[in-house]
Amino acid sequence: MDVSGGQSVYPLHRCKTIHLVRHAQGIHNVEGEKDHSAYLARHLFDAHLTPLGWQQVDNLRKHVQTSGISKKVELVITSPLLRCMQTAVGVFGGEDSTDGIDVPPLMVTDAGDSNRPAISSSNCPPFIAVEGCREHLGVHWCDKRRSISEYKPLFPAVDFSLIESDDDVLWEADVREKIEDVASRGIEFFKWLWTRKEKEIAIVTHSGLLTHTLAKFGDDCHPDVKSEICSRFQNCELRTMVIVDRSMVGSDSSATDYPGKNPSGEDAPSDVTCATPDGLPN
């Protein structure tokens, strides 16, 4: 009989805190809201943020600073599309870059028609771009990325080393990625997170990837909890969640557990239910 009341207990070192962020408003969102077929337009290639989108970035930045999230995040992962990288560095990056600071900026001045000053890489976590958290691939030109060699001068302090191809070999003009394949890619991305040592990670990605991936989770929860997990993200929305390693994918040992019996001594339990079937204490 389940007497847990819907609760679960897991070792802390088998959990990670992830801050999921959908990018701020892009030019494609504005046109697509009026006419969905606009997503097929070539001029929306690798869509950048709108001025309203940058206001959303500024507001989320204030939130992550006042809430203390910015001090806890150990790594920022971003989709390698312009709107996500602009959102990621704007929210989680250092203060505006100034002359005399001898470190490469996260973003140079006016990158991607931003009309924004450079953003410093000082006093902030590292940033890496990962293909696995890209938007629904194919057909929509806003979801096609530029070459990595074009991005590097715009985002000098973002790490692109995990991306194997300079050109976008994943996006196809006449083939839209199947929804189940988007979800599978997202789940593989979540599994990949367990290869990282960081315990608190911010991920800046896309509505489609988030919607289809998170829909695979929460079926064993109360419907309200399921809704908290997988309802559609708004532009520049942040949700903090915990992922749990129930299948021993990760290999990190606990940094807080303590083995006890130091010094060693007799410790037979007084409660017989604490003994193992062979009579030995747990």
Side-chain angles (χ1 to χ4, degrees):
M1 180 176 64
D2 181 12
V3 295
S4 65
Q7 301 179 60
S8 299
V9 176
Y10 297 103
L12 180 62
H13 70 281
R14 301 204 177 277
C15 303
K16 287 183 188 287
T17 299
I18 56 173
H19 304 281
L20 299 174
V21 179
R22 182 190 174 197
H23 63 79
Q25 186 193 69
I27 58 171
H28 65 305
N29 296 131
V30 176
E31 295 199 24
E33 184 76 22
K34 300 172 184 175
D35 178 7
H36 190 268
S37 65
Y39 290 122
L40 303 174
R42 286 176 178 257
H43 73 273
L44 294 178
F45 165 59
D46 194 20
H48 59 78
L49 297 186
T50 65
L52 177 65
W54 278 108
Q55 292 178 36
Q56 295 170 342
V57 167
D58 291 339
N59 288 334
L60 181 55
R61 180 181 180 84
K62 292 174 184 176
H63 170 73
V64 300
Q65 291 179 337
T66 57
S67 65
I69 292 174
S70 60
K71 295 185 181 300
K72 298 176 182 177
V73 169
E74 302 168 69
L75 175 70
V76 179
I77 297 173
T78 178
S79 160
L81 272 78
L82 185 56
R83 59 190 181 271
C84 278
M85 292 190 288
Q86 288 178 323
T87 301
V89 301
V91 172
F92 297 102
E95 297 301 323
D96 294 346
S97 188
T98 57
D99 293 338
I101 299 178
D102 191 23
V103 292
L106 282 167
M107 187 181 84
V108 299
T109 300
D110 199 29
D113 296 323
S114 64
N115 194 31
R116 303 282 286 204
I119 297 174
S120 173
S121 60
S122 297
N123 301 314
C124 64
F127 287 66
I128 59 173
V130 176
E131 295 265 47
C133 62
R134 282 181 60 176
E135 181 58 297
H136 202 151
L137 294 165
V139 181
H140 293 176
W141 281 88
C142 55
D143 301 328
K144 179 177 173 59
R145 69 164 172 83
R146 301 168 196 270
S147 67
I148 299 304
S149 57
E150 289 179 83
Y151 285 140
K152 285 182 175 180
L154 301 178
F155 301 93
V158 173
D159 182 356
F160 294 96
S161 64
L162 295 180
I163 298 178
E164 296 179 357
S165 174
D166 185 51
D167 293 327
D168 187 356
V169 298
L170 300 178
W171 187 91
E172 298 181 68
D174 55 354
V175 179
R176 187 71 168 159
E177 188 178 17
K178 295 178 181 178
I179 288 177
E180 55 266 32
D181 291 338
V182 178
S184 296
R185 175 162 57 84
I187 289 171
E188 288 303 311
F189 169 73
F190 274 24
K191 289 180 180 178
W192 172 79
L193 293 176
W194 289 106
T195 69
R196 302 292 312 187
K197 67 180 186 301
E198 298 87 1
K199 293 298 184 183
E200 190 147 349
I201 301 172
I203 299 160
V204 183
T205 180
H206 305 265
S207 175
L209 189 282
L210 289 167
T211 298
H212 300 312
T213 302
L214 294 175
K216 300 298 183 181
F217 296 91
D219 289 337
D220 56 347
C221 299
H222 186 281
D224 289 350
V225 177
K226 171 78 172 179
S227 178
E228 286 183 38
I229 294 171
C230 62
S231 60
R232 181 175 175 270
F233 277 65
Q234 303 300 314
N235 280 131
C236 221
E237 180 179 351
L238 179 151
R239 291 182 207 165
T240 299
M241 302 187 188
V242 174
I243 56 173
V244 176
D245 177 16
R246 295 190 288 185
S247 58
M248 300 288 285
V249 175
S251 59
D252 288 351
S253 58
S254 173
T256 57
D257 289 356
Y258 185 74
K261 293 194 75 170
N262 181 23
S264 181
E266 295 78 7
D267 68 348
S270 62
D271 188 342
V272 68
T273 60
C274 291
T276 58
D278 60 6
L280 297 175
N282 282 324

